[in-house]
Amino acid sequence: MFDQLFKDIALNATANDVAGNFPDKEFMCMAVAGLLKIVLPGEPLDFNKASTKGLLHLLKNVGGANLSVGRIYEGHINALQLVHAFGTEAQKREWYAAAANNKLFGVWNSENENGVTITLQPNGKYTVAGGKMFCSGAHWIQRPIVTGKLIAPGKIGWQMCILPVEKLKPFKEDNSFWKPMGMRASASFKIDFTGVEIGEECFLGAPDTYYAEPYFNGGATRFAAVQLGGALSIVEATHHFLRQQNRAGSEQQKARIAEMAMLAACGNNWLNSVAEKTEKWRNYPATNEKNMAYAGIVRTAIENICSRILYLSGVCIGPIGLMQPNTLERLHRDLTFYLRQPAPDAVISSVGAYLLKSEKIKDAWD
Ligand SMILES: Cc1cc2nc3c(=O)[nH]c(=O)nc-3n(C[C@H](O)[C@H](O)[C@H](O)COP(=O)(O)OP(=O)(O)OC[C@H]3O[C@@H](n4cnc5c(N)ncnc54)[C@H](O)[C@@H]3O)c2cc1C
């Protein structure tokens, strides 16, 4: 349905591969195509319907066109899913209208030193202090969900806030932090929110709702879908390179292309399988732990698939293929960087812990 749009986005990806750039033309076209509102009530991938499969494959296709666009788009979808799950009716009306009006959302949680605090003041307002890193989309995001430690009598925990950027004191953005090997156009800068004042109407959910399952760990399947899209583009570009360079003749090249095609099929099967289980387990809180563990398996399997594709492609094309102006140079850098998502060790160890509590592995995902 969006084939031409994704082709255009892919064509512009190399030109946009500059730290500090943001893919604004791409998001304008995606807005026109209805992609910023596609999960809202009544839209084709309405969260109230069994839309997981369509959504994961859409994220895969956006990532396949340009991983930086995929990263920012995944943040937009993540934020809307959190609004869907935890917003009050009034908040849903307001924030869905903003998305329908093509306001871009994001989720900014990662921090190191100087983390965010949200402190109640005597006037009933809250002041934000501290900052975040890896704020994908930076000032181009108009409705970021920013998390932080809530400090108010009787209300302690990790609070999500949706910030109506244009109504607030400007944030201090630090793009000097952003010198990545890949994903340059995701504009994942550092931002300091110190001095911003908000009202409680900006709070999304109660403190610690951000960690509620199956949303928190289950969400990993969305970034895995985007990653898979990047890997499938590498498979296609490698196949094209071998045919174009007349390097497809050896038995080893044939075997590597066959293995890459098999890995691509496995990746798609993982997306289909997790989508099917998500729909089956939806609305059954008792399945949350199983759901979380399965998402951990899918995320890890797709990371392994992508890593193996990167290796096979690199051996197939050699250093000439990994040099500019060949697009495989950027595709490899982007995927290598985007594969680094939080807590890979903790996730796989929690899957093992879940399975060791189960009687048998073969029944674990029923
Ligand atoms: C392109 C890109 C865009 C991003 N955009 C966003 C965004 O918009 N919003 C956002 O919130 N985040 C974003 N992130 C950040 C991302 O989600 C993670 O938060 C970030 O990767 C964490 O990096 P880290 O190096 O601190 O830790 P990790 O990646 O978690 O850890 C690195 C390694 O150290 C291990 N490790 C971690 N802790 C320990 C420990 N205590 N002891 C031993 N080993 C440990 C891990 O298992 C892993 O092997 C983005 C990341 C990328 C790459």
Side-chain angles (χ1 to χ4, degrees):
M1 196 175 158
F2 303 109
D3 279 0
Q4 190 54 49
L5 172 63
F6 297 145
K7 275 186 198 147
D8 294 342
I9 291 176
L11 274 177
N12 203 35
T14 299
N16 236 334
D17 178 36
V18 179
N21 269 21
F22 175 84
D24 37 11
K25 194 176 120 210
E26 285 77 349
F27 276 94
M28 254 168 356
C29 295
M30 285 165 67
V32 170
L35 285 173
L36 299 191
K37 59 174 185 178
I38 199 163
V39 292
L40 302 188
E43 298 293 335
L45 296 177
D46 183 344
F47 282 131
N48 292 304
K49 298 194 194 135
S51 55
T52 309
K53 184 173 171 185
L55 182 59
L56 291 179
H57 285 279
L58 172 63
L59 288 166
K60 178 188 78 177
N61 292 332
V62 179
N66 179 339
L67 271 180
S68 288
V69 175
R71 160 79 282 271
I72 298 162
Y73 187 58
E74 191 278 322
H76 177 80
I77 298 292
N78 184 12
L80 292 177
Q81 182 146 49
L82 291 166
V83 171
H84 165 75
F86 304 116
T88 63
E89 286 311 311
Q91 288 177 326
K92 284 182 189 173
R93 268 194 305 279
E94 181 186 341
W95 290 326
Y96 286 167
N101 210 10
N102 298 323
K103 295 258 188 283
L104 202 49
F105 286 64
V107 180
W108 297 339
N109 182 58
S110 297
E111 54 188 40
N112 47 12
E113 79 290 353
N114 188 29
V116 167
T117 54
I118 303 154
T119 308
L120 180 63
Q121 300 302 315
N123 65 359
K125 295 277 185 190
Y126 290 79
T127 50
V128 184
K132 297 281 180 188
M133 59 174 184
F134 289 107
C135 302
S136 289
H139 63 270
W140 290 273
I141 302 294
Q142 293 122 328
R143 292 291 177 273
I145 295 186
V146 173
T147 54
K149 186 173 166 194
L150 182 63
I151 304 171
K155 291 187 204 162
I156 302 286
W158 201 240
Q159 180 65 52
M160 290 187 275
C161 309
I162 299 199
L163 304 186
V165 172
E166 72 281 2
K167 296 181 193 152
L168 302 174
K169 183 183 163 196
F171 311 152
K172 275 184 240 112
E173 197 170 88
D174 174 10
N175 62 8
S176 67
F177 158 79
W178 189 235
K179 295 191 177 86
M181 71 180 288
M183 301 296 286
R184 291 169 180 163
S186 71
S188 303
F189 304 162
K190 259 188 186 172
I191 296 183
D192 188 337
F193 303 94
T194 304
V196 168
E197 194 180 71
I198 55 173
E200 208 162 311
E201 70 282 357
C202 295
F203 287 9
L204 176 63
D208 291 335
T209 304
Y210 179 70
Y211 296 114
E213 298 295 356
Y215 301 98
F216 182 61
N217 277 289
T221 58
R222 283 191 311 268
F223 70 64
V226 177
Q227 291 170 336
L228 182 65
L232 299 194
S233 290
I234 289 178
V235 173
E236 286 301 338
T238 304
H239 176 259
H240 177 74
F241 180 92
L242 292 186
R243 284 163 56 94
Q244 198 193 35
Q245 301 282 321
N246 246 342
R247 288 202 170 176
S250 76
E251 295 311 309
Q252 287 86 344
Q253 296 286 45
K254 289 179 202 164
R256 280 191 286 267
I257 280 293
E259 186 180 344
M260 281 196 270
M262 176 198 80
L263 291 165
C266 285
N268 279 314
N269 288 341
W270 278 116
L271 292 191
N272 293 339
S273 150
V274 76
E276 188 193 304
K277 291 196 189 300
T278 302
E279 298 306 345
K280 184 170 137 191
W281 295 335
R282 190 204 269 262
N283 303 325
Y284 294 100
T287 62
N288 279 358
E289 205 187 346
K290 176 158 60 176
N291 203 335
M292 211 175 112
Y294 198 70
I297 285 224
V298 173
R299 165 199 166 157
T300 309
I302 290 184
E303 188 210 317
N304 290 344
I305 285 171
C306 293
S307 300
R308 180 76 183 151
I309 286 175
L310 278 169
Y311 168 76
L312 291 167
S313 164
V315 182
C316 275
I317 63 179
I320 296 291
L322 286 168
M323 280 169 65
Q324 292 182 20
N326 197 316
T327 50
L328 277 154
E329 183 266 345
R330 179 184 51 78
L331 294 175
H332 271 249
R333 278 191 291 106
D334 281 352
L335 184 60
T336 301
F337 192 67
Y338 191 47
L339 280 183
R340 305 282 65 90
Q341 290 298 319
D345 300 339
V347 165
I348 201 63
S349 109
S350 72
V351 173
Y354 172 77
L355 288 170
L356 287 165
K357 281 194 299 184
S358 310
E359 282 295 316
K360 289 195 171 121
I361 287 187
K362 75 179 171 66
D363 306 324
W365 314 119
D366 288 347

